[in-house]
Amino acid sequence: MATVTRENIGLLNDKITVKVSQEDYLPNFDKAVKQFSKNANIPGFRKGMVPAGMIKKMHGPAIFGDEVLKTVEKELMGYVQAEKLDIFGQPLSLEKTAKDLDFNQPAEYTFEFEVGLKPAFEVTPLDNNKTTLTKYKVAVTEEMVNDEVQRLQLKGGKPSEGEAVSTEDDIINVTFEEADAKGNVVEGGIKKETSLLVKYFTEAVQAELKGKKVNESIVIELGKSFDEQRLAWVSKDLGIEAGDKEAAKKHFNLTITKITLIEKRELNEEFFKEVYPADNITTEEAFRTKLREEIAKYWDSESRNHMHNDLFEVLVHETPIELPKDFLKRWLQVGGEKPKTAEEAEKEFPGFDHQLRWTLISDKLVRDNKLEVSFEDLKENAKQKVLGYYGGAAADGAEWLDSYLDRLLQDEKFVDQTYREMITAKLFDWAETKVNVKEEEIKAEEFVNLPHKHHHHEH
């Protein structure tokens, strides 16, 4: 009879020993040999007529090893289930080398495994409103609305060719040619044609470009012509290596090859309908009101995400959970697709630890509070996603929409991801009711510069 015993070897860390004797695995071994001889294709023998002795000679060790391990695994998993052990991942085998399993001398074999046990814990930060979070309310200013009106007017604007550069909204096609500070072209230097909005350049360069006509040039120093973000992508466009610190000092001859003026759209009904096909907007006032609502909605959702992110950090860092660290580091080394070194596991551990704590906490909260997402909810969510993505074109009830949704809902990855997003959102909505929320007015630029925690939950 097989026996399974368990002893504690560390914090939440047990060793499970499985002993199997011949009567546990030999009957299965004989069965497997018979099965094999039924299906074996061996030259000179009719199918199903290969003698068992020959199969044992050729494949005995492999089949024997297989059957012993299968028996051990069955005993091990049976034990874990019977004892209701809540373990991390899979048990780790403590054998460093393969056992010598000799099917000519079947014996009693002992296998040792190590398991990490999930801790029991309480999510204390959600106890009787002991956590206070800030929900920022971003003030929507007239300036924001004006900027958005202008952006949309230009986005839908009509292009026409221009004589000379006149506004920051002009688009210029230019040739960059690497040169010295005086504008003499460097032989074998960088040469690239591209198009840019005038407003992408720094103000000093914009001033120099104003009034310039096609085929006229200016000399620029790369680092002084763009802000940091734009410099990064212009450099990339010019084929400059990302870490090249000297590149910003390079000079270029910038020759204009074409000027495109964008005629701003008039604020009329036709334009309002283009931007918001579903709303019957007829006046500029109503258009601005709608934009203000949309901007407020955007900031509201950003602000909720920010608060949820803070809540996530509080839960992960302040819920007292003890973890079997040493076991988990060993598990990181061997549990993945490819083995890792102890150093790699050590380096990855903090992120892994963070994510693991979140998984434990969120699973517990979902389970304890019976939070669920029905398939109907999931379907409705998927539909809204599609409608949002295709905008007005996806009139509700359109035939293609239903068949498209059916296909989507058969995609396991999509369903799994949507479920995770929805259950996470549900979890945060529920958790929000267990903390104090204080509102605080803030300007958009201050909000953007709030210190962001280093970790984002999947939201």
Side-chain angles (χ1 to χ4, degrees):
M1 263 305 284
T3 61
V4 184
T5 53
R6 172 163 70 114
E7 61 175 305
N8 180 260
I9 53 174
L11 170 73
L12 296 170
N13 193 191
D14 286 4
K15 182 167 87 174
I16 298 179
T17 307
V18 181
K19 268 191 189 154
V20 291
S21 54
Q22 341 188 19
E23 74 251 25
D24 296 317
Y25 59 77
L26 273 184
N28 289 341
F29 171 61
D30 291 333
K31 236 193 255 158
V33 169
K34 277 204 188 82
Q35 191 55 39
F36 200 95
S37 66
K38 254 199 206 132
N39 301 323
N41 277 322
I42 292 177
F45 290 97
R46 294 225 306 280
K47 196 169 173 178
M49 291 296 186
V50 187
M54 186 157 178
I55 294 288
K56 280 187 183 173
K57 242 199 195 72
M58 293 170 72
H59 300 285
I63 299 175
F64 185 75
D66 249 9
E67 289 308 322
V68 171
L69 293 176
K70 270 189 203 156
T71 307
V72 170
E73 189 155 304
K74 197 174 128 213
E75 292 294 337
L76 176 66
M77 291 334 263
Y79 178 82
V80 168
Q81 278 163 357
E83 295 286 312
K84 294 193 174 40
L85 297 187
D86 200 3
I87 65 171
F88 285 115
Q90 295 294 330
L92 294 186
S93 168
L94 289 172
E95 315 298 322
K96 290 291 167 270
T97 53
K99 272 204 182 352
D100 292 328
L101 303 174
D102 179 2
F103 77 100
N104 292 313
Q105 298 173 327
E108 181 176 71
Y109 298 113
T110 302
F111 286 81
E112 293 184 333
F113 299 90
E114 182 187 3
V115 292
L117 302 167
K118 291 187 184 171
F121 61 93
E122 291 308 320
V123 187
T124 51
L126 297 181
D127 289 350
N128 34 26
N129 293 34
K130 68 182 241 189
T131 300
T132 299
L133 294 172
T134 305
K135 180 156 194 253
Y136 293 100
K137 196 155 183 49
V138 174
V140 178
T141 62
E142 275 312 291
E143 194 188 348
M144 285 171 166
V145 179
N146 291 340
D147 285 349
E148 191 54 21
V149 170
Q150 286 216 344
R151 192 183 72 77
L152 291 167
Q153 279 179 294
L154 284 167
K155 190 178 160 204
K158 296 185 176 49
S160 61
E161 283 210 33
E163 286 276 305
V165 176
S166 56
T167 76
E168 61 165 18
D169 295 318
D170 295 351
I171 299 164
I172 51 173
N173 291 36
V174 290
T175 307
F176 278 87
E177 281 184 289
E178 198 173 336
D180 63 15
K182 291 201 176 67
N184 302 309
V185 174
V186 174
E187 213 174 303
I190 296 169
K191 183 174 179 180
K192 178 90 170 77
E193 291 179 30
T194 185
S195 71
L196 295 161
L197 274 166
V198 172
K199 69 164 89 165
Y200 288 171
F201 293 92
T202 49
E203 281 179 14
V205 177
Q206 283 185 38
E208 229 183 309
L209 283 168
K210 295 271 164 80
K212 290 278 182 285
K213 298 186 169 70
V214 172
N215 294 330
E216 293 193 319
S217 307
I218 63 170
V219 180
I220 63 164
E221 184 180 330
L222 205 54
K224 291 185 178 156
S225 306
F226 302 97
D227 67 20
E228 210 174 317
Q229 202 179 346
R230 296 230 162 84
L231 178 63
W233 60 255
V234 170
S235 302
K236 190 177 173 194
D237 195 34
L238 293 171
I240 294 167
E241 293 291 319
D244 188 345
K245 291 278 174 275
E246 290 304 300
K249 297 196 180 112
K250 283 182 188 287
H251 286 76
F252 284 89
N253 247 348
L254 203 61
T255 308
I256 301 173
T257 56
K258 183 180 172 191
I259 300 167
T260 309
L261 313 175
I262 299 291
E263 186 191 329
K264 277 190 186 167
R265 287 294 292 276
E266 278 185 47
L267 296 172
N268 55 22
E269 258 185 72
E270 181 198 2
F271 176 59
F272 304 148
K273 191 151 193 62
E274 222 170 274
V275 181
Y276 293 117
D279 301 76
N280 196 10
I281 295 177
T282 54
T283 64
E284 182 183 340
E285 198 185 343
F287 180 62
R288 294 175 73 91
T289 303
K290 174 76 180 172
L291 279 177
R292 190 177 284 107
E293 282 167 18
E294 293 290 310
I295 297 170
K297 217 192 274 176
Y298 166 80
W299 286 111
D300 189 53
S301 124
E302 286 294 293
S303 147
R304 284 198 68 165
N305 284 347
H306 190 278
M307 182 172 82
H308 287 170
N309 208 45
D310 285 349
L311 178 54
F312 169 84
E313 292 296 331
V314 167
L315 289 174
V316 166
H317 291 288
E318 295 178 23
T319 301
I321 300 182
E322 292 215 73
L323 290 175
K325 283 203 168 67
D326 295 340
F327 168 79
L328 290 170
K329 284 175 187 172
R330 287 195 288 278
W331 186 51
L332 255 185
Q333 282 177 254
V334 297
E337 307 233 316
K338 50 178 200 271
K340 297 182 168 74
T341 64
E343 291 78 51
E344 287 172 323
E346 195 64 50
K347 208 166 107 194
E348 281 175 32
F349 189 73
F352 171 76
D353 173 84
H354 207 168
Q355 202 47 53
L356 185 61
R357 284 169 191 275
W358 173 242
T359 304
L360 289 171
I361 293 165
S362 53
D363 284 355
K364 179 179 169 64
L365 292 176
V366 166
R367 208 173 41 236
D368 291 357
N369 299 289
K370 303 196 171 36
L371 302 176
E372 49 192 43
V373 170
S374 71
F375 190 68
E376 281 312 305
D377 293 345
L378 195 134
K379 196 171 166 175
E380 183 53 33
N381 180 291
K383 183 165 146 185
Q384 292 312 322
K385 258 192 192 159
V386 174
L387 286 174
Y389 185 70
Y390 288 107
D396 205 354
E399 291 236 326
W400 68 269
L401 182 63
D402 291 337
S403 62
Y404 183 69
L405 271 177
D406 286 342
R407 276 209 309 280
L408 261 186
L409 295 170
Q410 278 160 17
D411 174 357
E412 254 173 69
K413 224 164 122 189
F414 172 82
V415 170
D416 183 53
Q417 195 189 341
T418 308
Y419 170 78
R420 277 221 306 275
E421 281 169 14
M422 291 178 74
I423 201 77
T424 303
K426 230 175 197 175
L427 174 58
F428 278 110
D429 289 344
W430 172 84
E432 238 181 79
T433 64
K434 302 286 170 215
V435 295
N436 299 311
V437 176
K438 63 173 205 299
E439 287 217 343
E440 191 178 304
E441 290 247 336
I442 192 171
K443 291 197 178 85
E445 50 273 22
E446 293 170 343
F447 179 81
V448 174
N449 291 320
L450 286 172
H452 244 315
K453 301 291 193 338
H454 59 280
H455 192 93
H456 265 284
H457 60 270
E458 293 167 16
H459 200 58

